[in-house]
Each structure stands twice: as C-alpha cells, then as structure tokens.
C-alpha cells in the first residue's frame, strides 16, 4: 500500500480536530464535570465534527444511497445511528409510511427533525419518531414501537419493514450481538436490511493500516472502528439455527472506491428469511 494512502486519514483527523476542539473546550468550560464523563464529551466532539463532515459524507454517498435506499425502503423504516437524518432525504414518501430515527447523540436530533420535516415526516402526525437509545437496546426499541405503531393483530409488538444502517455498524457496541438482536427481534420476516458501511479491507496490507489507525480514529470519531468486517458479519448472519438469516441478498461496492482506500465501503440489500 502506498504510504501516501496509508497516511491519508491524517488530513481528516487534523481537520476534524481543528473543527471540534474549540466548541468542545467551550463546553468543558461551561460544564467542567464533562471531564469525568468521557461518553458525553465524545458525543459533543462528534456532534460538532459531524456538522462539517456529515454533509460531505452524505454527498459522496449520494449515488449509493439513491441505488440502495430510494427503490428499496418501504413501510416502517428504522434508521440506526441516523446522525443528521440524511437518509430520510432518500426515502420515497409514497412507499415509506413512518421514519424512525434512532440516534443516541441527542445533539443531532434537531438536524434529524429538520431533514425529516423537509422530506414530509412529522412528529405531530406520527410519521416521524426520534429515539435516543442505542441500537443495542432492542428492548427500548420494541417498547417504543409498541407505543407508536398500532399493535399487530397477534398481540405482538409492531415490527419494522426496513432497517437502514449507514456507516453505523462501525460504531455500535457489540456489533455482532446487536445485529443479531435487531434482525431477529425488530425486523419483520420478509423485511429488509439495507446497509452501507466502511469495512475491513480484504487486502492484508490495507487491513494492517486500518488496524493500526483504528484505536486513534475511534477516539476522535465517537468510537468508530475502521477495522470491523461488518460486511462479513451481515452476510454470514444466522438466526435460530437456520443456515442463513437471509432468503435473498445482494452486495456490491461503491463505484469510485479505490482498493487502497482506508475507508473501503460495502453496500448490501438483505431480505430476512
Ligand atoms: C458516522 S455517523 C453516521 C450517521 C448517519 N447514519 C449518516 O450516514 O449520516 C455514526 C452515527 O452512529 C451513532 N451512534 C453512536 N453510538 C450508537 C449506538 N450505540 N447505536 C446507534 N447509533 C450510534 C453516532 O451518534 C453517529 O450519529
């Protein structure tokens, strides 16, 4: 791998730190107890950083999202790690009845609300729901679903038709367990899992650099790990002793990704068996 490619993320790190450090220090000055609450501090840093990075990351993935989300998402959609809710802008309003944005960083919620409202989803109409729990907290997700969506005739909580995971499996804790629980307990049978993630490279030299940078990158980007084989975890997911959790699956790559990109992406549409 070329050294220039291996070191390319230093530019992003430098820009990220220069954007987020001053507002984060200001927040500490206002509230020094943040120094003892690293999780809250990390979220303040990430919220400031995402104001600049979010729109750029979204526009660089526009073609992918138009191919993945727009033609496929339907019914009740759960967007895990919604960030600023950029994904809502790719939903087909006629096919998606309700947008549930799960985002534990509450500092991002106002952006989700603004984007969702622009796309025609409103909390007052029950078509927009913003959850502040983590994706690993399936109990809270199911509780919220039973409150916001009509109960299924079987008496079971209403489940979702589509789960969207855009650049989130890199960050959530215990990703394999969380993925299993979400697909098993929250997604309907026949529902879809739409995923776009940066993943561990299949090239050993690139993977070496990803593992090298991962702990440093995670400090600045709210725990985001660049060394997770999330694509493999999704593809190989099994449930309840079945050979595969999926009855249909299709994966593809982002057109303009160079194979030496430290943030090499994988895209996929999976239908639950
Ligand atoms: C890289 S951002 C991606 C945001 C958005 N999906 C997008 O594509 O613009 C990752 C998001 O995951 C969120 N996140 C962090 N911990 C999480 C968790 N436990 N469950 C769900 N999302 C989480 C972060 O707050 C952040 O907004």
């Amino acid at each position: 791998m070329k050294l220039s490619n291996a070191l390319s993320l230093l530019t992003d790190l430098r820009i990220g730190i220069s954007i987020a450090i001053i507002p984060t220090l200001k927040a500490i000055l206002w509230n020094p107890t943040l120094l003892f609450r690293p999780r809250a501090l990390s979220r303040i840093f990430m919220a400031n950083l995402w104001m600049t990075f979010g729109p750029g990351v979204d526009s660089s993935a526009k073609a992918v999202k138009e191919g993945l989300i727009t033609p496929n998402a339907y019914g009740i959609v759960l967007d895990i790690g919604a960030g600023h809710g950029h994904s809502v802008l790719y939903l087909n309003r006629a096919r998606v009845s309700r947008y549930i944005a799960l985002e534990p960083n509450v500092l991002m919620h106002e952006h989700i609300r603004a984007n969702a409202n622009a796309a025609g989803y409103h909390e007052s109409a029950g078509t927009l729901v913003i959850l502040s729990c983590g994706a690993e907290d399936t109990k809270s997700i199911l509780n919220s679903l039973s409150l916001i969506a009509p109960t299924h005739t079987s008496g079971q909580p209403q489940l979702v038709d589509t789960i969207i995971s855009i650049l989130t499996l890199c960050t959530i804790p215990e990703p394999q367990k969380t993925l299993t629980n979400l697909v098993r307990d929250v997604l309907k049978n026949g529902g879809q899992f739409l995923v776009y993630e940066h993943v561990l490279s299949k090239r050993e030299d690139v993977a070496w650099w990803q593992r090298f940078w991962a702990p440093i990158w995670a400090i600045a980007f709210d725990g985001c790990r660049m060394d997770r084989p999330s694509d493999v975890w999704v593809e190989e997911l099994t449930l309840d002793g079945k050979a595969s959790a999926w009855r249909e699956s299709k994966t593809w790559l982002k057109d303009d990704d160079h194979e030496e990109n430290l943030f090499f992406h994988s895209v996929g549409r999976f239908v639950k068996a």
Side-chain angles (χ1 to χ4, degrees):
M1 181 180 189
K2 276 194 201 155
L3 194 60
S4 56
N5 289 335
L7 301 181
S8 59
L9 99 173
L10 285 173
T11 309
D12 283 342
L13 264 181
R14 186 180 52 75
I15 295 171
I17 291 170
S18 66
I19 291 165
I21 196 73
I22 299 291
T24 306
L25 288 173
K26 277 188 186 162
I28 295 172
L29 274 178
W30 277 105
N31 184 357
T33 66
L34 282 169
L35 286 171
F36 305 102
R37 292 187 289 132
R39 196 83 206 89
L41 202 54
S42 171
R43 288 201 166 138
I44 291 172
F45 192 90
M46 181 69 181
N48 283 294
L49 197 151
W50 205 243
M51 303 258 266
T52 301
F53 274 63
V57 170
D58 174 53
S59 65
S60 80
K62 188 170 187 288
V64 168
K65 291 179 180 181
E66 283 170 348
L68 176 70
I69 299 175
T70 314
N72 294 313
Y74 71 91
I76 300 178
V77 170
L78 172 68
D79 184 9
I80 58 169
H84 284 186
H86 286 122
S87 298
V88 76
L89 302 169
Y90 298 86
L91 298 178
N92 177 340
R93 184 68 185 85
R95 297 186 73 220
V96 175
S97 54
R98 191 177 258 125
Y99 175 62
I100 304 176
L102 178 149
E103 177 47 66
N105 193 336
V106 295
L107 299 169
M108 298 189 178
H109 285 191
E110 61 179 293
H111 300 280
I112 295 177
R113 198 165 283 118
N115 277 326
N117 290 171
Y121 297 90
H122 301 272
E123 283 158 307
S124 55
T127 52
L128 165 67
V129 178
I130 304 177
L131 303 181
S132 48
C133 60
E136 65 281 11
D137 188 357
T138 38
K139 204 171 156 202
S140 293
I141 299 172
L142 289 171
N143 272 343
S144 307
L145 276 171
S146 65
L147 294 175
I148 57 185
T151 308
H152 194 264
T153 43
S154 64
Q156 300 297 313
Q158 175 73 66
L159 303 182
V160 306
D161 300 288
T162 307
I163 295 179
I164 297 178
S165 177
I166 306 289
L167 306 173
T168 294
L169 292 178
C170 51
T171 303
I172 58 179
E174 298 188 272
Q176 287 173 278
K177 186 175 165 201
T178 299
L179 183 61
T180 303
N181 291 344
L182 281 172
V183 175
R184 189 188 56 218
D185 300 334
V186 179
L187 186 63
K188 278 182 193 167
N189 290 341
Q192 302 170 97
F193 191 76
L194 306 178
V195 59
Y196 166 66
E197 298 286 342
H198 59 82
V199 297
L200 185 68
S201 175
K202 306 285 184 274
R203 261 182 60 171
E204 204 35 60
D205 55 343
V206 181
W208 188 91
W209 279 104
Q210 289 175 310
R211 291 192 184 101
F212 174 82
W213 287 121
I216 299 164
W217 185 259
I219 294 172
F221 281 75
D222 196 29
C224 166
R225 298 287 310 199
M226 49 196 300
D227 59 351
R228 286 186 176 174
S230 309
D231 52 339
V232 178
W233 293 338
V234 177
E235 275 182 75
E236 296 184 352
L237 188 71
T238 58
L239 290 179
D240 308 324
K242 288 183 202 148
S244 172
W246 314 116
R247 72 162 191 233
E248 229 180 278
S249 68
K250 184 177 174 213
T251 57
W252 62 100
L253 300 175
K254 186 168 182 270
D255 279 350
D256 54 352
D257 255 355
H258 187 274
E259 65 173 35
E260 288 199 355
N261 188 347
L262 288 169
F263 294 93
F264 190 74
H265 297 87
S266 168
V267 194
R269 172 181 178 263
F270 297 83
V271 180
K272 185 178 171 184

